[in-house]
């Protein structure tokens, strides 16, 4: 079998199971990381208790925001690896890099939640999202070009749509990094450019996948 | 196969394995979260040691209570996903939401263990339980109405019993939120309404499942 | 098939995979919990650095001790669940209880490492080990008496040897709890009673398992 | 079957799945451990915010370095266990030892990142890497000599190359421990001896594995 030989020659690693187990572990920790901060000191009297409860609310908000970001990353990761069966050295390296970025995400998210009016917060957050989505983009391209790693090749139309989707996200967030130093609010408004782009690629992706499943594979 | 095509058209995600791996990771962290607090400072003399050990006891108690709550959540989650093989976008979204609530549970549980006489504690705890069980209810309904996601359709009698069980729990805890501000103790007594309800639905559920297994599937 | 029907009638839960995934998550966190404490503050000058490094050593020692204890628990858990395929309500309840105790183990272990001369430390540690091994004993008995949960019934001779091994451990550590208040050192010496007992049951267990594999199953 | 009987006689443990699940959990926690430190206090004014952000950078750097080290360990672990199906007592003991060392790695890595000019830091880091790679070496030898644990025996040429690769790493880092007390910088330069060695064994390993896959297995 040509594919089998080719895979083995290119690289000597394989079996996606462990990389996904490691990934789900890192995602689980990243999701719960900010919940560790949501705590009251003990031994407070009723007045202090009320005040302390009020101070906890921004942390709950940072937790919710971080959860949404990590959950979105996990969904992206889930989609990318859904039909992958084998991993080679390049995929492992990109996968580990993306995990390192996932574990880091709670920090820029907290910056944004607590210091959202500071240019540095918006720049750090935009840069972190851009880096994270860029590794997802790289993984998508690598897996598309190496069909022997998956159960079935990704149809070109679907892969191109995914690349457009992820590529535009990287572009928007990368541009937001310098923009944040001009105007933090401007950079946040600039993010909303993605809403129509995502709506378009999302709808096209859904249709393409439905078609692919109906005729073939 | 009609079901297969339908699933694919509705949604392009699947494979429950990774969602369950992520879930078990979050449950494992949530279960051990409060154990992180159970610590003595080092370098104490014997008198200080005795006193510090005494101060640790409320944390052990909060840990035990939180463990019980998370363990009950895990058993519910286990039951709900027991026969699920595929997950679609809606199930993933609800599943991630329920994980976010699971990771948050140690906070309201500690509030209840340490400040159980404050109305806010009872209200926050009741609200958290109500929200958590509401996502379990939503998951149960979604999985019942989308039999193509599971290995076998859930019999209607069993699903209706589960909905009654979870729905009454949501109702009781949701009513306890405003009640807590009238009387925290009254709200806690109100929770006990669930004991006979749970006993009834629990016994019915067991009988229905035994019957279903004996004739069929 | 009689076994299948019986299992289903007794209980409506099953599938050991998720309980083991949850368990391995909790074990992984418990193993690394004390490593979180091994840290130096930043920005120290060379003299302070040397002193801070010295203060870290007792924490490394507590970590090593805790690792050994948790690793021993994991090996016991691994052995107990090795041939288990299905779990019912009783096994899940006992399994969750044992996880709660595993997550707690770093605390008594640190007590012992840092305050080993205090009676309370030896008593708390002995009690924690006794409780932990008692749940392992209960799991062993339940799984032995419910052969339909495993891939093959546990031979009676092996199960009796395991019960003797775990039962004597529970007994020794339970007796050590009051003993610790008479003499902490005496209680620690009393633990060594287990060395010949363990050697005996360990060797017998190995021989019995080898025989069982050779003739049959 | 001779192999089967032999395995059973030697040892009564098996099934690599749970050891790998535990390992991936520990790796996931070790990877994210230092991300827990990357936090800003809340309620800072703009000037304090800028300064606090600057103080966070060394922690980000320690996190990146630690991530690289743990990721390299994970890739080694992945390679070693890739074709392993069963684990016996020796493999479990070595595996648990290596996990204990993995969980510890963030500490020496932080030492190196923050106090890299101190002899103790370089010595502790070198010793930790030497110990970690020594357990990988021991695992490689044990698995090579016990072919019945894997899906297929490891060809002798590949195993010898892996032993040379890991053995030289252990040697270089073990020698660096005393060297660090003579000159921390000298010890770090000494590490670079490994670059040509690794390049050589890496290239040979890739070729040997490609050949093995083409003819046979």
């Amino acid at each position: 079998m040509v594919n089998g030989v080719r895979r083995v020659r290119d690289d000597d690693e394989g079996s996606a199971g462990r990389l996904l187990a490691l990934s789900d572990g890192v995602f689980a920790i990243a999701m719960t990381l900010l919940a560790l901060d949501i705590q009251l000191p003990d031994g407070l009297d009723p007045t202090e208790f009320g005040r302390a409860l009020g101070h906890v609310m921004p942390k709950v908000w940072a937790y919710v925001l971080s959860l949404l970001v990590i959950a979105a990353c996990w969904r992206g990761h889930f989609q990318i690896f859904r039909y992958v069966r084998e991993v080679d050295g390049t995929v492992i390296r990109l996968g580990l890099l993306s995990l390192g970025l996932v574990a880091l995400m709670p920090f820029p998210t907290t910056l944004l939640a607590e210091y959202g009016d500071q240019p540095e917060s918006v720049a750090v957050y935009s840069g972190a999202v851009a880096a994270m989505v860029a590794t997802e983009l790289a993984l998508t391209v690598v897996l598309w070009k190496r069909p022997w790693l998956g159960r079935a090749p990704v149809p070109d139309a679907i892969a191109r749509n995914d690349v457009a989707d992820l590529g535009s996200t990287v572009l928007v967030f990368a541009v937001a990094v310098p923009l944040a130093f001009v105007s933090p609010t401007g950079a946040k408004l600039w993010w909303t450019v993605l809403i129509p782009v995502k709506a378009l690629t999302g709808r096209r992706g859904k249709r393409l996948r439905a078609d692919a499943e109906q005729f073939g594979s």
Side-chain angles (χ1 to χ4, degrees), chain A:
Chain A
M1 196 185 136
V2 172
N3 276 359
V5 169
R6 186 153 170 209
R7 175 179 66 72
V8 163
R9 270 200 193 142
D10 282 355
D11 207 296
D12 52 289
E13 294 184 288
S15 154
R18 283 200 65 193
L19 185 62
L20 296 182
L22 183 75
S23 305
D24 288 331
V26 171
F27 276 108
I29 298 164
M31 274 175 75
T32 47
L33 207 58
L34 292 182
L36 286 162
D37 285 338
I38 306 174
Q39 277 187 324
L40 285 198
D42 42 328
L44 301 174
D45 64 47
T47 332
E48 292 170 326
F49 172 77
R51 212 177 314 140
L53 206 59
H55 286 318
V56 150
M57 284 322 291
K59 293 183 173 181
V60 173
W61 164 234
Y63 168 71
V64 169
L65 197 64
S66 173
L67 187 76
L68 287 175
V69 172
I70 305 287
C73 293
W74 185 81
R75 288 195 63 183
H77 196 270
F78 174 88
Q79 281 277 17
I80 289 169
F81 280 97
R82 194 168 169 203
Y83 296 111
V84 174
R85 259 207 312 215
E86 297 285 327
V87 289
D88 61 16
T90 310
V91 174
I92 286 180
R93 248 168 267 130
L94 283 170
L96 291 171
L97 178 63
S98 81
L99 292 186
L101 291 166
V102 163
L104 213 52
M105 281 311 290
F107 173 61
T109 311
T110 324
L111 273 190
L112 196 72
E114 288 181 15
Y115 300 100
D117 50 340
Q118 300 288 326
E120 290 91 345
S121 304
V122 181
V124 166
Y125 181 83
S126 301
V129 173
M132 157 78 74
V133 181
T135 63
E136 292 196 348
L137 176 60
L139 274 168
T140 302
V141 172
V142 166
L143 290 167
W144 171 29
K145 295 297 181 199
R146 302 186 182 179
W148 56 88
L149 297 174
R151 259 181 286 162
V154 185
D156 284 358
I158 292 181
R160 266 191 220 107
N161 187 63
D162 288 353
V163 167
D165 176 79
L166 296 168
S168 55
T169 310
V170 174
L171 199 73
V172 167
F173 279 96
V175 167
V177 176
L179 209 60
F181 291 99
V182 181
S183 157
T185 314
K188 288 194 223 167
L189 286 173
W190 165 246
W191 293 343
T192 59
V193 168
L194 276 175
I195 296 172
V197 176
K198 286 267 168 194
L200 197 78
T201 53
R203 217 173 321 126
R204 263 195 73 205
K206 221 160 194 172
R207 187 167 40 75
L208 287 168
R209 269 173 240 269
D211 290 355
E213 286 278 348
Q214 210 170 1
F215 317 100
S217 160

